[in-house]
Amino acid sequence: MLDCNYRGGGILLLNPIRITISDCYITHFSSVGISVHKGHETFIHNSFLGQHITVGGDPQESNFSGTAIRLDSNDNDVTDVVIFSAQIGIEVLGQANIMKGVHCYNKATGWGGTGIMIKKGATQNRIIGCYMDYTGIVLEESNRITISNSYFLGDAFILLKAGTSGTAFGLSIVDNIFTGSDHGVPIVQAQGTFSLVKQTRVDDNSAAGMALRSTRARVSVSGSGNSWTADLSHVLLFPGAVAHVQYSFYTPQLNATNATATFPQHALQSITATSITVVSDQPVDAVVSFSVDQSSYGDNEMQNIYHVTSPGLQMAPLKH
């Protein structure tokens, strides 16, 4: 056990290589619990870190400060670690790091805390099988980042910051579970203007009490008339562009067994920033199904397509 007595940090590694930190309890740090600076291949596992000793819902949570783990280094592994109080749980400044089985319930997002923060320039990092408890993930660099098989509780969400590059490349947010308090908080949120989005997949997540966001959307619109419009702004992660559209047109009363019926002509009439409209040459009772994919584009295709400005973060009230 390392009791820092609010006078500094716990463990500082400078230019380490192949170091293991295990079975540690680090508390009362004022700066950083474990700081890895340069070097590579440090393993941190089976440890507990917290600025204040608490079991959650602490009345002083808004005053939590410091960072539990800082990885200013490459090729490190953080496994089976609990972070129970700090301003930032894990701050990643290096590349090719992996976090597995980490439970963050440090400072809640509503108080300004962050569970895991990927800083600008920290590419090729993976967050797998982690538990984000009322505190979320912030990506200042959405460049080849994987977040999968993780659990987000208490309206915890993932925030993508566009920054100056405005790029999301090789981002994968899949197979995660989100649980909220029915305040409509989106599971993934974009902040700033994204001018280039490539090989980005946000899909196959499940949400209860929160609003799903995805780079793929499938919706059906039914009704009688000659115009059908689908608004996908409530689903798509980047609502400023609807691209790669496919649709099917089905009329129950007009089929191959009716020789006298003429199948209506139909076409995709318009695509706006948030909606798609299909029209027919005659009124008919129809079901129109749309499929949209905005996850993968070449550089030439991306010119002047994605220009998304976030309306602001949406957060639910705090648990306590």
Side-chain angles (χ1 to χ4, degrees):
M1 179 172 180
L2 300 179
D3 187 337
C4 304
N5 199 26
Y6 302 115
R7 296 177 63 85
I11 297 174
L12 171 62
L13 300 180
L14 297 176
N15 299 304
I17 181 169
R18 294 185 288 275
I19 298 294
T20 297
I21 298 175
S22 64
D23 303 296
C24 289
Y25 192 119
I26 302 175
T27 188
H28 297 154
F29 49 84
S30 61
S31 53
V32 183
I34 300 175
S35 181
V36 183
H37 185 68
K38 301 199 180 290
H40 55 95
E41 297 168 7
T42 293
F43 282 20
I44 303 170
H45 59 88
N46 296 340
S47 295
F48 301 91
L49 296 97
Q51 185 180 57
H52 304 274
I53 298 176
T54 176
V55 293
D58 194 290
Q60 298 300 317
E61 183 172 345
S62 62
N63 298 320
F64 290 176
S65 62
T67 300
I69 298 175
R70 176 175 292 150
L71 300 177
D72 188 7
S73 173
N74 301 339
D75 311 335
N76 304 298
D77 184 301
V78 180
T79 306
D80 299 331
V81 168
V82 174
I83 299 171
F84 53 87
S85 61
Q87 171 81 18
I88 299 173
I90 301 177
E91 185 179 41
V92 182
L93 296 91
Q95 301 180 355
N97 298 288
I98 185 168
M99 287 136 278
K100 301 176 294 185
V102 176
H103 182 189
C104 291
Y105 61 102
N106 45 299
K107 192 174 186 176
T109 298
W111 291 120
T114 303
I116 299 175
M117 177 176 288
I118 307 295
K119 301 291 285 186
K120 182 178 179 181
T123 67
Q124 304 164 84
N125 287 288
R126 293 162 290 165
I127 302 171
I128 301 173
C130 293
Y131 178 7
M132 311 307 297
D133 196 343
Y134 279 80
T135 185
I137 296 174
V138 176
L139 304 184
E140 291 186 353
E141 182 72 77
S142 301
N143 189 338
R144 288 165 289 175
I145 304 294
T146 294
I147 303 172
S148 66
N149 298 106
S150 294
Y151 176 46
F152 294 76
L153 178 66
D155 293 304
F157 59 89
I158 300 169
L159 174 63
L160 313 182
K161 291 187 176 182
T164 56
S165 67
T167 299
F169 171 55
L171 175 63
S172 179
I173 302 174
V174 297
D175 298 322
N176 299 289
I177 301 172
F178 294 81
T179 302
S181 52
D182 295 317
H183 288 88
V185 178
I187 64 171
V188 183
Q189 302 182 34
Q191 183 183 78
T193 300
F194 284 85
S195 57
L196 176 62
V197 177
K198 289 183 62 176
Q199 300 174 22
T200 292
R201 183 184 172 214
V202 180
D203 203 5
D204 295 326
N205 299 294
S206 65
M210 298 181 71
L212 280 171
R213 288 294 183 268
S214 178
T215 52
R216 298 177 183 177
R218 294 161 289 276
V219 64
S220 295
V221 178
S222 62
S224 299
N226 59 2
S227 178
W228 296 262
T229 299
D231 188 345
L232 302 170
S233 61
H234 66 289
V235 178
L236 293 175
L237 175 59
F238 302 105
V242 175
H244 281 252
V245 176
Q246 291 182 316
Y247 78 90
S248 61
F249 194 95
Y250 172 64
T251 56
Q253 74 273 33
L254 300 177
N255 52 60
T257 62
N258 188 348
T260 62
T262 302
F263 197 84
Q265 298 184 50
H266 52 85
L268 184 64
Q269 183 189 53
S270 67
I271 300 177
T272 69
T274 61
S275 65
I276 310 167
T277 299
V278 167
V279 297
S280 65
D281 64 344
Q282 58 182 282
V284 66
D285 184 15
V287 178
V288 182
S289 298
F290 300 89
S291 177
V292 177
D293 187 343
Q294 57 176 196
S295 60
S296 184
Y297 299 86
D299 291 340
N300 293 333
E301 293 177 283
M302 285 306 307
Q303 298 300 319
N304 301 317
I305 291 182
Y306 288 143
H307 296 284
V308 183
T309 300
S310 170
L313 304 185
Q314 301 177 46
M315 295 184 292
L318 293 171
K319 182 179 181 181
H320 47 78

